[in-house]
Amino acid sequence: VDLLWAFLVVILILLVFGIIFAGPVGSYFDHVDISDPAQLEAAAEVQVLFGDMMESMISLWSAVSGGNDWMTYGEQIRKLPNGWMYFGIFNFYIAFCVVGLFNVVTGVFVDSAVCCRTGDEVVQGYLEDLKNTTTEIKAFFKNADGDGTGTVNWPEFRDHMKDPAVKAYFSGLGIDPEEAGTIFTILDYDNNSELLIDELVNGTMKLKGSATKLDLMALMYDLSSQNARFDALMGLFENEISDIKKRLPQARTDPNGKDMPRAVAIARRL
């Protein structure tokens, strides 16, 4: 669709400049001396190139598309009344089309071609990028596993992150290598100071780049859930404490501890 609009703009520009040159061409024919063979020959040449609107548009298109040298048409325009002025307009038309219009049309065509990529190509490109990045990260951490146990402990992780090549690579992924301790602590869910290489790779991929809107929304959802649970727990505590307060006067009036809440009876024995 964008390409069709670009072609429509080209046709419109040809039509506008064709109308601009139609007036002086008609005036030129009105002043031709039919008794002068030289003027008749010159008028015949102008007639061929600019005799009607269609011929004018074809000539204007040929001048900028390589169909003929633009100066061939410029020489005919210079024969018109006020020829130098219209020759200047013709030069402006050439410059406008070559420098501006065709570059815009080319950009529209390239953009349309890029947008025609299928969804499968986009998905395939994403999967290939993910696979390559994962393979590279896994190679880095396999080098960190010095004892070959399949796990990376904190000393191995810390020493490996001091490697300049590793620092540069992870900086390119948007991960600050100076925060090695924080990264290891976040990924070490069971607090045993050891991480499987696959877990380390998956965790690093999640840390890649900056936080997205989805990450922020997930964090807000978790906070809302925790707040709701905390409010429910506090409500339970308040109800229990209120119930205990109601039972305390009864507990004080019963010296034998009969019918007292178990907690109050234990407290009195203590």
Side-chain angles (χ1 to χ4, degrees), residues 208-216:
K208 176 184 175 183
S210 57
T212 63
K213 291 183 178 180
L214 180 60
D215 296 328
L216 296 177

Side-chain angles (χ1 to χ4, degrees), residues 60-77:
L60 291 172
W61 172 248
S62 300
V64 295
S65 63
N68 205 345
D69 184 67
W70 66 271
M71 193 60 190
T72 300
Y73 306 99
E75 290 292 346
Q76 302 303 320
I77 291 175

Side-chain angles (χ1 to χ4, degrees), residues 149-204:
T149 59
T151 62
V152 177
N153 55 36
W154 165 238
E156 291 174 337
F157 184 83
R158 178 192 58 206
D159 295 340
H160 194 62
M161 292 299 287
K162 293 179 181 179
D163 189 334
V166 176
K167 284 186 176 182
Y169 183 80
F170 280 89
S171 295
L173 294 178
I175 302 174
D176 186 1
E178 300 299 330
E179 300 293 337
T182 303
I183 296 172
F184 192 90
T185 301
I186 293 174
L187 300 180
D188 187 16
Y189 299 109
D190 51 6
N191 295 319
N192 63 349
S193 298
E194 285 188 348
L195 291 173
L196 294 173
I197 291 181
D198 288 338
E199 294 176 346
L200 199 53
V201 170
N202 293 334
T204 304

Side-chain angles (χ1 to χ4, degrees), residues 15-226:
L15 179 62
V16 169
F17 280 92
I19 294 173
I20 291 175
F21 294 120
V25 168
S27 178
Y28 171 75
F29 288 145
D30 290 340
H31 293 84
V32 171
D33 186 358
I34 59 176
S35 61
D36 187 347
Q39 291 190 25
L40 287 177
E41 183 179 355
E45 294 176 354
V46 174
Q47 172 70 24
V48 171
L49 300 179
F50 297 97
D52 54 34
M53 182 59 66
M54 182 58 67
E55 290 296 336
S56 296
M57 293 177 64
I58 293 174
S59 297
L60 291 172
W61 172 248
S62 300
V64 295
S65 63
N68 205 345
D69 184 67
W70 66 271
M71 193 60 190
T72 300
Y73 306 99
E75 290 292 346
Q76 302 303 320
I77 291 175
R78 290 168 64 179
K79 299 176 182 178
L80 304 178
N82 299 317
W84 283 104
M85 181 184 72
Y86 289 103
F87 182 70
I89 295 174
F90 180 71
N91 277 270
F92 170 77
Y93 160 77
I94 297 295
F96 174 76
C97 289
V98 173
V99 176
L101 179 63
F102 289 165
N103 286 333
V104 173
V105 172
T106 302
V108 170
F109 178 78
V110 172
D111 182 68
S112 298
V114 171
C115 291
C116 287
R117 295 181 61 192
T118 64
D120 291 340
E121 290 176 338
V122 174
V123 172
Q124 186 63 30
Y126 169 77
L127 293 177
E128 286 292 333
D129 179 67
L130 182 62
K131 179 180 178 181
N132 293 336
T133 305
T134 303
T135 302
E136 292 171 355
I137 296 175
K138 186 175 291 188
F140 274 114
F141 285 120
K142 280 187 176 180
N143 294 333
D145 184 19
D147 53 8
T149 59
T151 62
V152 177
N153 55 36
W154 165 238
E156 291 174 337
F157 184 83
R158 178 192 58 206
D159 295 340
H160 194 62
M161 292 299 287
K162 293 179 181 179
D163 189 334
V166 176
K167 284 186 176 182
Y169 183 80
F170 280 89
S171 295
L173 294 178
I175 302 174
D176 186 1
E178 300 299 330
E179 300 293 337
T182 303
I183 296 172
F184 192 90
T185 301
I186 293 174
L187 300 180
D188 187 16
Y189 299 109
D190 51 6
N191 295 319
N192 63 349
S193 298
E194 285 188 348
L195 291 173
L196 294 173
I197 291 181
D198 288 338
E199 294 176 346
L200 199 53
V201 170
N202 293 334
T204 304
M205 291 298 296
K206 291 179 181 179
L207 294 173
K208 176 184 175 183
S210 57
T212 63
K213 291 183 178 180
L214 180 60
D215 296 328
L216 296 177
M217 292 298 295
L219 180 60
M220 292 173 63
Y221 175 79
D222 290 339
L223 289 176
S224 298
S225 299
Q226 294 296 330

Side-chain angles (χ1 to χ4, degrees), residues 218-239:
L219 180 60
M220 292 173 63
Y221 175 79
D222 290 339
L223 289 176
S224 298
S225 299
Q226 294 296 330
N227 287 336
R229 292 179 181 179
F230 182 75
D231 291 341
L233 180 62
M234 292 304 298
L236 177 62
F237 283 161
E238 289 177 358
N239 293 335

